[in-house]
Every structure is written in C-alpha cells, then in structure tokens.
Amino acid sequence: MIDLLQQDKSNIWHPFTALEGADEPLLITAANGIYLHTHDGRKIIDGISSWWVNLHGHSNAAIAKAVSEQATRLEHVIFAGFTHEPAITLANNLLSILPGDQSKIFFSDNGSTAVEVALKMALQYWYNRNEVRKKVVAFKGAYHGDTFGSMSVGERGLFTKPFFPFLFDVDFIEFPTEENEAEVAAEFISIVDQGNVACFIFEPLIQAAGGMRTYSPSVLNNLIDYARRENVICIADEVFTGFGRTGRFFASEHLDHSPDIIALSKGLTGGTLPLGVTSCSKKIVEAYRNSEFSKTFFHGHSYTANPLACAAANASFELLVSSECRDNILRISDKHKNFVKELKRNNNVKNPRSLGTILAFEIAVGETSYENSIRKSIYSFFLERDILLRPLGNVIYIVPPYVITDPELDLIYDCIDAFLKSL
C-alpha cells in the first residue's frame, strides 16, 4: 500500500491541490454507506458526499447491480445515429420530474460540459433565428465549472485568474441579499433594457462553491419573470442543487417561474459514474427544428449517453423517488434546521443557514473567503476525527448522503461543537 502512495505522488496530479506543500492523499480501498475505508483501517464519515455526488451511500447494491447487468449487455455505443434503452428510459425519467415544460434531454459527461451545452444551446438559439443577441448575464460569486465557457460565466478570481484574457465578456450583477434585492433587480432590468441579452445563467437559491451562499426565491422569481417578458433565455445550473439537495427534486421547484434550460450532473448517477445532462424547453427546441444543416447543434462527446452511466442513473432515480428517500431528505432537513438554531447562539459562528439537506455557516475569523487560512485547520481537525468535511475557506458545510442516520449526523454536529469550543 505504501508503494501505491509513492506511485501516486510520482505520477498523479490531483484536482485543486498544490504540487508542493499539500498533505499526502489518503488511500481509500473500499466504501459503503456513508463510510470511506482507508488502507490502514480507518473508517471516515463522508460528510460532503464525495464532492456532492453521492445520494444513496457508497457501493449501493441496487446501483451496482444495474451497472453490472448493463455491462454484460452493452457497455457503450456511438450516440450519433444510434440509441439504446438506458438513455431512452433516463430521458423519460428525468422529464417526468423536471419542472416546467422541459422537452428534450441532451447528454454530456459532467457538470462543466452540461453548462457548456446550455450556453451554446442558448447562444445558437439566437443564431438560428437570425437575431443578434450576444450578451450573457450572471451573478457575481458564481461557479459553473472549469471549462472555458463555464469559467467565463463564473466568478473572476483565484480559480480563473490565469485565464482572464481568454474568457468571453459577461455582465455580472451583484449577488442578492436581504439588503440589496431592489438594487439587484434594478441592475438586472437596466442591463436587459439595453438590449442584446441572449441569456441569464444562475445557480438557483444557493451558490455552492462560492461559499454556500443562499438567497431568496422571491428575488430570483422577479428576475426570471422580467427575463421571460423580454425573451431572455434563463439557464438554471442545477448541477449541485438537483436531485433533492434543497429538499425538492430541483431547486427550481421553489420558484414560480421555470427556466428554459437546466444543467444537471453530480447526483444524476447517485455518485457512481460521470454523466451530464442539459434539458431544454419546447421553445428552445423549436429554433433547431430546421432542415438547414448549418442550424444543427454540433456538439457531442465520445461517451455521450454511456449505457453504464445511464443504467446507474436509472437505478438512482428509482431510489430517489421512493418514499424512503423522500423521508430521509425531510429528516435530514429537519435535523439541520434544529442544529442551525444551536449555531445561532455561538459567537464564533456567522450566518448559519440550511436549505434542505445542505447546512453551512462561517467561522467568525478573518474575511469570508476561499483563501482564508483557517480552512487548513478545519479540514485537519475533522479528518483527524474521521469525518470528511472540506471547507470553502472559513465556510464549513455538510452535504451528506441521504442514507446517513440521525446518530451519524449527531456525530458530525458534536464534532462541530468541539471545533467551535477549540477556537
């Protein structure tokens, strides 16, 4: 096992990890339920669903069975000119629960590509209609992925600084808070009224990587309402918020107005295999119903609609819509709400909040920022106690798999209390 770690150090470049000065990675040999098992016998609670992807626990038997059975029938086939049952079933499943009048499903590989597809789909919509609309509007502080289109519509900061000269122009509006909602609405209306706005992209109700910042459905409703009146395409990035994280299947269900395009990934396969999806409304589809070849949507990936990933997603879907899963989501949501009440009494805590199965708060030390150095202390404190929480700077958050039990949640809460007392 030590040899494996040495090979890792020599040969592998890990994401969001400095090549010098970073802690050695932990070697995971197995996982089940909410637990990650290390090579040296540790049993670590996965309090962040392995970067927010795992819904039903690790090594879920139903999902594993579906993937195994699919692997003996069809592992992959080109998706241009061919199709297969797992993709057809998944599209039907998704359209049965997606909000609004979502009409078609476009497959890709991950969250970033799902957003890339959404942006290209929206921009080509205007090209196909022979209308010139090029402007994109997004919130400050957003994170939509690491490909160039998704970086362009995200926060211009630490993650994207080397690429500033290569990113396309975006009109960024302030992140809405209770204090500035009217100003944000006025700013958005002013930009739209100038004309040439092609689309508005947003993470509904919560900016995840931006610090788990929540905002009210009412302000987003107002922005979408005005956008729709002015025929601006609305794109909901539900890569993080989809599949029950906010207490409903999709965060857009908390709204009165549905988006035109929705980007999905992360929980789509229950955390088993990579897969991305971009859904769109009938309005978007109609701009592509044209015999003119140049108006085809020329986008695709080698592993588009991979049958194994689709099989995993279908198995995860059946678990997601079960009454047991729904009860678990409500139970976790209630537990979080109660713990937020406790956190509000702690002077070391700022802005404790929860939204469905997501709980977050800031440590009242220094500026709230991803670069806040306390993140190292937070990460180490919990990992030493066999709990995986990966803070966003001084922001601690919990996004557990839905199978976590009340006693296991209490272990995390108790450890948070211990950390706060240590400050």
Side-chain angles (χ1 to χ4, degrees):
M1 293 298 182
I2 300 301
D3 183 55
L4 284 176
L5 288 170
Q6 290 172 343
Q7 291 177 48
D8 177 282
K9 188 173 184 178
S10 297
N11 302 331
I12 296 179
W13 197 336
H14 288 268
F16 296 93
T17 303
L19 292 181
E20 295 292 335
D23 293 337
E24 295 297 315
L26 297 180
L27 180 58
I28 302 301
T29 56
N32 64 285
I34 68 161
Y35 294 100
L36 307 171
H37 299 272
T38 66
H39 76 284
D40 54 358
R42 294 175 63 186
K43 185 179 174 184
I44 298 172
I45 293 176
D46 187 353
I48 60 166
S49 297
S50 286
W51 252 341
W52 322 336
V53 300
N54 192 287
L55 302 185
H56 313 294
H58 293 278
S59 304
N60 181 277
I63 298 177
K65 182 173 182 281
V67 173
S68 174
E69 290 178 351
Q70 183 60 47
T72 65
R73 291 194 298 268
L74 173 66
E75 85 299 343
H76 188 63
V77 64
I78 181 175
F79 207 60
F82 294 84
T83 192
H84 50 78
E85 184 275 331
I88 295 167
T89 298
L90 180 56
N92 290 337
N93 285 338
L94 292 174
L95 291 172
S96 74
I97 62 171
L98 280 164
D101 67 340
Q102 298 298 290
S103 175
K104 278 195 180 290
I105 299 295
F106 194 97
F107 292 95
S108 63
D109 294 350
N110 54 61
S112 294
T113 59
V115 169
E116 291 286 323
V117 168
L119 291 168
K120 290 176 67 176
M121 196 178 278
L123 295 171
Q124 190 176 333
Y125 170 89
W126 297 108
Y127 173 87
N128 283 6
R129 289 165 54 95
N130 298 313
E131 296 183 45
V132 179
R133 290 208 188 195
K134 298 181 178 179
K135 193 176 293 185
V136 178
V137 181
F139 284 124
K140 291 180 180 179
Y143 175 83
H144 295 287
D146 297 325
T147 50
F148 271 87
S150 59
M151 283 194 296
S152 294
V153 295
E155 175 73 5
R156 305 294 170 93
L158 174 67
F159 293 174
T160 57
K161 190 172 183 179
F163 313 107
F164 282 1
F166 310 101
L167 305 180
F168 61 73
D169 290 336
V170 171
D171 282 56
F172 288 102
I173 60 175
E174 292 294 330
F175 177 80
T177 64
E178 290 183 4
E179 294 75 27
N180 73 357
E181 286 187 6
E183 290 82 358
V184 170
E187 183 183 14
F188 181 76
I189 290 170
S190 174
I191 293 171
V192 172
D193 284 352
Q194 293 170 26
N196 194 30
V197 176
C199 60
F200 167 43
I201 184 169
F202 50 87
E203 298 161 274
L205 305 192
I206 182 168
Q207 287 188 331
M212 296 294 170
R213 300 196 297 175
T214 58
Y215 63 107
S216 75
S218 62
V219 65
L220 187 55
N221 268 325
N222 292 337
L223 299 184
I224 296 174
D225 180 50
Y226 194 78
R228 291 177 77 93
R229 277 190 273 155
E230 298 300 317
N231 205 20
V232 172
I233 294 170
C234 295
I235 302 172
D237 176 355
E238 295 236 26
V239 169
F240 169 61
T241 54
F243 306 105
R245 289 296 184 196
T246 66
R248 301 184 183 180
F249 285 139
F250 303 99
S252 297
E253 292 183 70
H254 294 274
L255 305 172
D256 298 329
H257 304 288
S258 299
D260 301 294
I261 299 174
I262 301 175
L264 301 169
S265 188
K266 289 199 181 292
L268 178 57
T269 69
T272 302
L273 288 166
L275 186 65
V277 153
T278 306
S279 70
C280 65
S281 67
K282 294 176 183 177
K283 166 187 170 180
I284 304 300
V285 172
E286 287 308 309
Y288 291 86
R289 289 195 185 281
N290 196 298
S291 58
E292 191 175 333
F293 188 57
S294 64
K295 294 185 177 180
T296 301
F297 188 54
F298 292 111
H299 188 103
H301 300 258
S302 300
Y303 283 93
T304 294
N306 173 257
L308 301 179
C310 289
N314 286 322
S316 179
F317 174 87
E318 294 302 327
L319 294 169
L320 178 69
V321 299
S322 70
S323 59
E324 180 182 5
C325 185
R326 183 63 184 167
D327 289 345
N328 281 337
I329 290 171
L330 292 173
R331 174 180 54 81
I332 295 167
S333 301
D334 288 341
K335 289 276 290 182
H336 280 351
K337 287 177 185 175
N338 289 330
F339 189 56
V340 164
K341 293 176 183 177
E342 295 181 30
L343 289 172
K344 286 181 177 179
R345 296 193 288 267
N346 195 303
N347 292 330
N348 290 317
V349 169
K350 291 194 302 184
N351 192 23
R353 65 268 188 193
S354 68
L355 177 62
T357 67
I358 308 158
L359 182 145
F361 62 94
E362 285 124 62
I363 302 298
V365 176
E367 182 182 354
T368 296
S369 164
Y370 188 86
E371 297 175 75
N372 191 312
S373 60
I374 198 173
R375 62 186 164 81
K376 296 179 180 178
S377 301
I378 297 170
Y379 181 75
S380 298
F381 183 93
F382 288 95
L383 200 55
E384 287 167 4
R385 290 156 180 80
D386 291 332
I387 297 174
L388 171 58
L389 296 184
R390 188 180 171 90
L392 299 162
N394 62 316
V395 178
I396 293 178
Y397 68 89
I398 309 171
V399 183
Y402 302 149
V403 295
I404 194 168
T405 66
D406 285 352
E408 289 164 341
L409 264 178
D410 288 335
L411 280 175
I412 300 177
Y413 296 156
D414 290 345
C415 199
I416 288 173
D417 285 335
F419 176 79
L420 294 173
K421 288 174 182 175
S422 74
L423 295 175

